Amino acid sequence: MMAKQHFGTSHVPLSPAVRAGDFIYVSGQVPVGANGEVVVGGIEVQTRQVMENVKAALALASAELSDVIKTFVILEDAREFAAFNKTYATYFPSNPPARTTLEARLMIDIKIEIEAVAYKPLK
């Protein structure tokens, strides 16, 4: 039996990714660039940054977007759903994961946050 594994670090008390058996759980990713600053721009720009951050967190656990089976998306403004959806779809051109999307106020002044669950069997 394998213990859970934690990947990456954060300035807040969370692990960017945690593997538990064949599943990888990615903490909610926000539109922050490599410099630690929120990227400037609309929902499309912020969605791209968040998805790149999800990819990076998955890579820490040797997984990729094609391994994602479920996402949970929080939008700050539901009126931006169509623009978000168009950008998001480019990251899952076929066989997209199951998804929940809701509108809520976020912890910092951002437009979007996405968490993901991936399935990647251990060899």
Side-chain angles (χ1 to χ4, degrees):
M1 182 169 188
M2 182 179 175
K4 63 183 175 177
Q5 295 176 281
H6 297 258
F7 299 93
T9 59
S10 178
H11 68 284
V12 294
L14 62 79
S15 295
V18 176
R19 176 183 273 280
D22 293 338
F23 293 91
I24 300 158
Y25 299 86
V26 175
S27 292
Q29 297 297 303
V30 296
V32 174
N35 63 359
E37 301 290 322
V38 173
V39 296
V40 177
I43 189 66
E44 297 92 345
V45 169
Q46 289 199 2
T47 299
R48 277 192 293 279
Q49 183 64 57
V50 167
M51 291 304 299
E52 292 302 319
N53 292 350
V54 169
K55 279 174 51 175
L58 287 166
L60 293 172
S62 300
E64 52 195 37
L65 286 175
S66 62
D67 299 314
V68 174
I69 59 170
K70 174 78 166 86
T71 60
F72 183 81
V73 179
I74 306 166
L75 297 175
E76 185 268 334
D77 186 345
R79 293 173 294 189
E80 295 185 312
F81 178 76
F84 146 75
N85 208 41
K86 182 178 178 185
T87 303
Y88 175 91
T90 65
Y91 287 87
F92 299 106
S94 62
N95 300 316
R99 182 180 84 192
T100 300
T101 307
L102 59 83
E103 176 187 50
R105 196 175 88 211
L106 293 160
M107 299 297 105
I108 58 176
D109 188 20
I110 56 176
K111 297 180 175 296
I112 186 170
E113 181 171 343
I114 300 176
E115 68 177 44
V117 178
Y119 177 74
K120 178 128 182 167
L122 294 165
K123 304 264 183 215

